[in-house]
Amino acid sequence: MEKILFDSHAHINEERFDGCREELCREIGESALAYVMDIGFDLESSVRAVEDAAKYDFCYAAVGCHPHDAKTMDDAALIMLKGLAKKNKVKAIGEIGLDYYYDHSERDVQQYWFRRQIQLALQLKMPIIIHDRDANDDVMRILKEEGVFHTQRTDCFPRHPDGGPDARLLLHCFSGSRELARQYVKLGATISIAGPVTFKKSRKTVEVVEETELSRLLVETDSPYLTPEPYRGRTNKPVFVEHTARKVAEIKGISFEEAAAATCENARRFFAID
Ligand code: NI
C-alpha cells in the first residue's frame, strides 16, 4: 500500500493499548500510514513513547507533561524529560499547555510547568505541541511572554513555504475560532485537525480548515480518544486518521490523496523528519 498519511498526534504509549499494541502497530504497518507521532503526557508515558519510537520504524516521539499531570512534575522530572528529548527519533516537546475545562491540576501549577517546558523547547530548539482547552487567552499570552514567536526562535528554522515565519508550534486538536487560527498562523504556528471535524456539530472546525492554508495544516487522531465518524464511540486508533484527512479533502475541494500527501509532507517538515 502507498504510504501517504501522517498521524501527527497519537498515544500509542497509552496503557489502554497494553495487550493490543503489537496488533495495532502491525495494522499501521499494513496501512497507508507512513508515520505516527507518539505523544507523551507525563514522564512515564514519555519514556514509553521513546521506547515505541525505537521499536517501530513508522513511530517518532514527543516528550512532555500534559496540563492534567502538571501536579506530578518537579525539577527532577524536567531534567529527565530533557534527557529524553535528546534521544533518537524524539522530534518535539509535547503535549504541553493548559486545560481549564477539567482543571485536573491547579491553574497556577499548570502555568508554571507549561512555561518551564516551553523554555526547555526553546533551549533545545525543538518544535512544541500545544494542548489548549478553554484556555485560549492564557495559552496565547504565555507563548508570547516566553518568546515562542520572537525572531530569535523563528530564525532557528527555515522560512515556511508560504513565505511566513515558522515558530514550529503545533496547535493540537485545534478547537478555536477561525480568527484565532488566523492569528496563530500569522505568528508562525501550524494547526492540527482531529476527529471532531467529522462530527455533525463541527461548523467551527470546518471554518478553520476553510480559513487555513493547506501548507499550515496537519491531521491527527489523538488515539485512543476523539474517534472520527464513522467509528465514533469506538476506541480510536492511528489508521482512522484517514477519515479526518478525507474530511479535510472534502472541505478543501481536493482529492483525498492530495490532502493526505500534503499533510504528510507538512508534518515531515514540521518535525524535521527526512
Ligand atoms: Ni493528546
Side-chain angles (χ1 to χ4, degrees), residues 9-11 39 41 66 95 131 172 220 222-223 225:
H9 193 112
H11 302 281
I39 312 287
F41 51 87
H66 191 286
E95 56 183 301
H131 172 102
H172 136 68
E220 64 165 286
D222 202 18
S223 309
Y225 315 104

Side-chain angles (χ1 to χ4, degrees), residues 76-95:
L78 191 71
I79 290 168
M80 301 278 280
L81 282 177
K82 184 177 180 179
L84 288 171
K86 293 175 177 170
K87 300 248 185 200
N88 196 24
K89 294 179 85 182
V90 178
K91 295 295 184 180
I93 300 297
E95 56 183 301

Side-chain angles (χ1 to χ4, degrees), residues 38 44-56 59 61 84:
D38 192 2
E44 287 72 33
S45 59
S46 295
V47 170
R48 294 196 300 269
V50 175
E51 289 169 357
D52 291 342
K55 191 166 174 190
Y56 303 106
C59 187
L84 288 171

Side-chain angles (χ1 to χ4, degrees), residues 76-228:
L78 191 71
I79 290 168
M80 301 278 280
L81 282 177
K82 184 177 180 179
L84 288 171
K86 293 175 177 170
K87 300 248 185 200
N88 196 24
K89 294 179 85 182
V90 178
K91 295 295 184 180
I93 300 297
E95 56 183 301
I96 63 174
L98 302 174
D99 193 311
Y100 294 171
Y101 181 78
Y102 286 109
D103 281 324
H104 284 336
S105 291
E106 297 287 343
R107 290 184 182 183
D108 60 335
V109 174
Q110 293 187 37
Q111 291 185 17
Y112 177 79
W113 289 107
F114 182 32
R115 287 184 189 274
R116 293 288 303 273
Q117 293 182 94
I118 293 169
Q119 290 157 12
L120 177 65
L122 296 188
Q123 193 192 351
L124 298 176
K125 298 184 170 54
M126 289 178 77
I128 300 170
I129 301 169
I130 297 294
H131 172 102
D132 173 358
R133 184 128 189 228
D134 288 359
N136 291 168
D137 292 349
D138 278 358
V139 167
M140 178 68 97
R141 178 176 58 79
I142 289 171
L143 289 169
K144 284 181 173 168
E145 286 174 2
E146 294 298 332
V148 170
F149 307 113
H150 287 175
T151 50
Q152 208 182 347
R153 171 160 171 95
T154 55
D155 286 351
C156 296
F157 308 108
R159 293 291 285 184
H160 193 276
D162 70 6
D166 193 344
R168 295 292 156 106
L169 180 82
L170 185 61
L171 284 312
H172 136 68
C173 187
F174 190 78
S175 59
S177 65
R178 69 196 305 163
E179 289 74 27
L180 188 64
R182 191 185 303 140
Q183 278 178 45
Y184 267 119
V185 166
K186 215 170 161 186
L187 289 165
T190 299
I191 308 277
S192 185
I193 302 295
V197 75
T198 66
F199 300 170
K200 283 228 152 51
K201 288 182 182 165
S202 64
R203 190 61 226 158
K204 212 164 132 189
T205 311
V206 168
E207 285 177 4
V208 167
V209 175
E210 285 169 354
E211 166 78 29
T212 308
E213 170 73 35
L214 184 61
S215 67
R216 293 278 183 175
L217 290 177
L218 307 188
V219 288
E220 64 165 286
T221 58
D222 202 18
S223 309
Y225 315 104
L226 300 177
T227 312

